[in-house]
Amino acid sequence: MHFCTSCEAGTPHRDPVPEQGTAICTRCGTENKIPSVPLFVITGGSGCGKSTVSLGLLRKLNPYFIVDADFLFPNMECFGSWDSFYNFATIVSLTLARNLRPIVLVGGASLGQIERAKTAAYFSAVHFLVISCDQSAQTARLKGRYPHVVTKPPTPETIGNALNQARFISEEARSRPN
């Protein structure tokens, strides 16, 4: 998947053409087969309900692989940036796409972070579902996680960051058609 089947050039030498299910080697021109499945992204701020929605999907018989970004790597700091982290998340998702099942990626990414990920271009399409709720419900959910899910109670700063994240993602989604 990462190398041309003819000249063995690596991924940087391939241009994805998802609608054809191929990646064309820029070195030799060979069309290499790639998984042609869509990526569905469930996103929103912390405490908005992404996990609840994804758990609902898991309870149903479905054709998807669900990837929860929270479980991919426990320490985001090693990536240096959220863009790098979500690029990694799309790499994991693309690897699972080899099974030719649509992927549902769940995480607090902005739409732009997923679109900037180099491997996002290898999916046949990328669709977003932005989950949001009012700030009081989001704050109550964040506070309700302690001590059951998180080891320390949320601070006003972490709650403010989550509210800002939710606002940014929702505004970004509203600024786009469809």
Side-chain angles (χ1 to χ4, degrees), residues 162-178:
L163 295 174
N164 286 336
Q165 175 193 28
R167 189 177 316 109
F168 177 81
I169 293 169
S170 293
E171 288 173 1
E172 183 182 27
R174 277 193 292 276
S175 73
R176 295 166 178 234
N178 202 10

Side-chain angles (χ1 to χ4, degrees), residues 3-137:
F3 296 93
C4 175
T5 55
S6 294
C7 71
E8 298 186 2
T11 301
H13 301 287
R14 296 177 353 146
D15 291 330
V17 186
E19 60 275 7
Q20 294 178 13
T22 62
I24 299 171
C25 179
T26 56
R27 185 180 287 166
C28 73
T30 299
E31 289 188 12
N32 296 272
K33 191 89 173 127
I34 59 171
S36 183
V37 299
L39 174 65
F40 298 94
V41 180
I42 299 175
T43 189
S46 297
C48 284
K50 300 178 302 292
S51 295
T52 302
V53 170
S54 65
L55 286 173
L57 281 176
L58 286 172
R59 289 186 188 110
K60 299 189 180 299
L61 185 59
N62 64 64
Y64 307 104
F65 274 110
I66 297 175
V67 179
D68 190 331
D70 287 348
F71 294 109
L72 286 179
F73 210 81
N75 184 357
M76 190 294 293
E77 286 79 25
C78 71
F79 288 96
S81 73
W82 285 107
D83 279 355
S84 294
F85 175 77
Y86 280 107
N87 186 60
F88 172 75
T90 61
I91 290 170
V92 170
S93 298
L94 187 63
T95 301
L96 291 171
R98 288 177 162 184
N99 294 288
L100 298 177
R101 293 177 73 186
I103 304 298
V104 177
L105 176 60
V106 182
S110 72
L111 285 62
Q113 285 172 317
I114 298 298
E115 292 167 339
R116 286 189 296 274
K118 294 175 182 123
T119 50
Y122 287 90
F123 288 94
S124 61
V126 179
H127 305 280
F128 294 94
L129 173 63
V130 177
I131 305 293
S132 65
C133 63
D134 66 62
Q135 290 186 348
S136 60

